[in-house]
Amino acid sequence: MRKQVTFLILGFLILLAAPRMTLALSFSDIIDFAASGTQTVGSDTRTVTTVNDDSPFIYTHSVTFSPPALSIASATLALTHTHVSVNGELWTVAGGTSTFLGTLSESNGAWVTDTFTIPTALYPSFIAGSWSLAVKLTESTSGNDTFDFDKSVLSGTYVTGSDTVAVAATNVPEPSAMFLLGFGLIGLRVFISYRFNKMKQLPTKAP
């Protein structure tokens, strides 16, 4: 009886030590601007929307999570543009229309991509199937300033509780789980050795 109890305890410890599965999936929403036609820089021609400083330029990213999200792990906003001159222009980027993310960098004579980290304060408090994030571009210096906007990409990773998703899954064993697993394996080894030694001590029957 004592042996069976020992075996059950060892099995329970091994089950406790099994690493928990965290499914980290990626998401992305791309807005490819094209309202003003095309713009060629060097030999690279792209569709663009020309943004001027008459009023803030506001647009919205909409992300659909499939499977539904439990929480957002990380998020970035990448803006590709040209014809921004930092001499006399200061284009600020805000998320949710009021949270400062940064400023556009110099892009005269080139296509430049600026990447901004979305702060957790802009993550929705309740996440399931979708997330909408407003973005606002503002320029407040004197004069009539414009730039050509090529693309905006909102991307990142999120966590889901579904155990049926196999893509991008990562096993994240906790330190305590690893300790329990090691302890359980050691105990199992001791138990097997004990059984083996007992078998060797049994008298052999004469032929």
Side-chain angles (χ1 to χ4, degrees):
M1 179 66 180
R2 187 170 58 184
K3 296 175 183 177
Q4 285 85 344
V5 172
T6 303
F7 184 75
L8 287 174
I9 292 175
L10 292 174
F12 179 69
L13 288 173
I14 292 174
L15 285 176
L16 284 177
R20 297 177 182 177
M21 182 72 78
T22 298
L23 299 179
L25 306 182
S26 61
F27 67 85
S28 178
D29 182 61
I30 301 173
I31 299 177
D32 194 355
F33 295 100
S36 302
T38 61
Q39 181 64 246
T40 301
V41 178
S43 59
D44 190 352
T45 301
R46 307 186 186 189
T47 59
V48 297
T49 289
T50 300
V51 179
N52 59 57
D53 61 2
D54 293 340
S55 61
F57 181 76
I58 301 175
Y59 62 96
T60 302
H61 275 286
S62 296
V63 178
T64 299
F65 299 111
S66 180
L70 287 179
S71 62
I72 295 175
S74 64
T76 59
L77 180 69
L79 309 182
T80 303
H81 54 86
T82 189
H83 296 150
V84 171
S85 174
V86 295
N87 295 320
E89 294 181 36
L90 181 62
W91 289 94
T92 60
V93 183
T97 72
S98 61
T99 302
F100 178 75
L101 300 180
T103 60
L104 297 184
S105 57
E106 175 80 36
S107 62
N108 267 332
W111 292 107
V112 173
T113 299
D114 292 318
T115 302
F116 308 97
T117 299
I118 304 298
T120 56
L122 291 178
Y123 296 172
S125 56
F126 175 78
I127 309 170
S130 63
W131 175 30
S132 293
L133 177 68
V135 181
K136 181 172 72 174
L137 301 173
T138 308
E139 209 285 320
S140 57
T141 63
S142 60
N144 182 22
D145 298 312
T146 64
F147 76 94
D148 292 313
F149 203 177
D150 170 40
K151 189 179 297 183
S152 177
V153 180
L154 175 65
S155 60
T157 57
Y158 72 98
V159 175
T160 176
S162 173
D163 56 1
T164 60
V165 182
V167 253
T170 52
N171 287 329
V172 186
E174 298 179 356
S176 58
M178 295 302 294
F179 172 78
L180 286 173
L181 178 60
F183 184 76
L185 291 175
I186 292 172
L188 187 60
R189 175 71 177 87
V190 171
F191 177 72
I192 293 173
S193 298
Y194 172 77
R195 292 283 294 175
F196 180 74
N197 291 333
K198 292 290 288 184
M199 291 291 292
K200 287 176 62 179
Q201 292 173 8
L202 291 176
T204 57
K205 292 183 179 180

